[in-house]
Amino acid sequence: MDNWISGVAVNSLILFLILFGLITPVLASDDAYLKELEAEAQNLSTKNAVEPAPADTQTKNKSATVPVPEATVNLRKAEFETALKAELPNTYTIYTRLTAEQKLMVVETYFANDRKIAPSSKQVFDFYLFDRKRQSQIKSQ
């Protein structure tokens, strides 16, 4: 019986090590992706040639959440912006170029993900790159 229990323990340990080995690179790749985006934001923030997104490029997606009082929205936005500026100042520069609706969605993402910057940072770049792509398509027509 003791041999069976120790065999189960060894198998459990091996399984844990295998899973840990698979999860660690996934977490590291997300961090590397965000670092690359932050580096790109650094390059963009040093160039003054990039113009802010025009007001007509607002995203059509509406949030299905219950409306939050405006005072609370402003406090949440201020908290997020302070955290973003402290952790990822170049991403904050890109964030300031988003439309008001996009900014609100980024702030909501921050709070929906337990105040983690990574999902919001990714969303900032998704919005920004989508708007840039759309602008370049309009210019090429």
Side-chain angles (χ1 to χ4, degrees), residues 3-25:
N3 287 338
W4 183 81
I5 292 174
S6 63
V8 170
V10 169
N11 287 339
S12 297
L13 180 62
I14 291 171
L15 180 61
F16 172 77
L17 292 174
I18 290 171
L19 289 175
F20 183 75
L22 294 174
I23 292 172
T24 303

Side-chain angles (χ1 to χ4, degrees), residues 98-115:
L98 300 179
T99 65
E101 186 175 306
Q102 290 171 331
K103 288 178 183 177
L104 180 61
M105 292 192 313
V106 170
V107 170
E108 291 304 316
T109 298
Y110 174 72
F111 285 97
N113 288 287
D114 299 323
R115 292 180 165 93

Side-chain angles (χ1 to χ4, degrees), residues 2 6 30 32 34-35 55 58 67 72 74 76 79-80 114 122 126 128 132 137:
D2 286 335
S6 63
D30 188 40
L34 292 176
K35 285 181 182 179
Q58 294 181 359
T72 305
N74 291 338
R76 291 163 63 99
E79 179 184 331
F80 167 73
D114 299 323
K122 182 181 180 312
D126 288 347
Y128 178 74
R132 276 187 60 192
Q137 288 175 345

Side-chain angles (χ1 to χ4, degrees), residues 93-141:
T93 301
I94 301 300
Y95 167 81
T96 60
R97 294 186 170 118
L98 300 179
T99 65
E101 186 175 306
Q102 290 171 331
K103 288 178 183 177
L104 180 61
M105 292 192 313
V106 170
V107 170
E108 291 304 316
T109 298
Y110 174 72
F111 285 97
N113 288 287
D114 299 323
R115 292 180 165 93
K116 293 180 182 157
I117 290 287
S120 298
S121 175
K122 182 181 180 312
Q123 190 175 31
V124 166
F125 283 100
D126 288 347
F127 283 140
Y128 178 74
L129 295 174
F130 176 77
D131 287 345
R132 276 187 60 192
K133 181 178 179 182
R134 189 165 66 191
Q135 287 174 358
S136 69
Q137 288 175 345
I138 290 171
K139 287 179 184 178
S140 68
Q141 290 179 351

Side-chain angles (χ1 to χ4, degrees), residues 36-57:
E36 285 181 39
L37 289 176
E38 181 68 8
E40 183 176 334
Q42 170 67 35
N43 292 337
L44 290 172
S45 67
T46 57
K47 296 177 185 175
N48 291 331
V50 178
E51 299 175 11
D56 66 333
T57 60

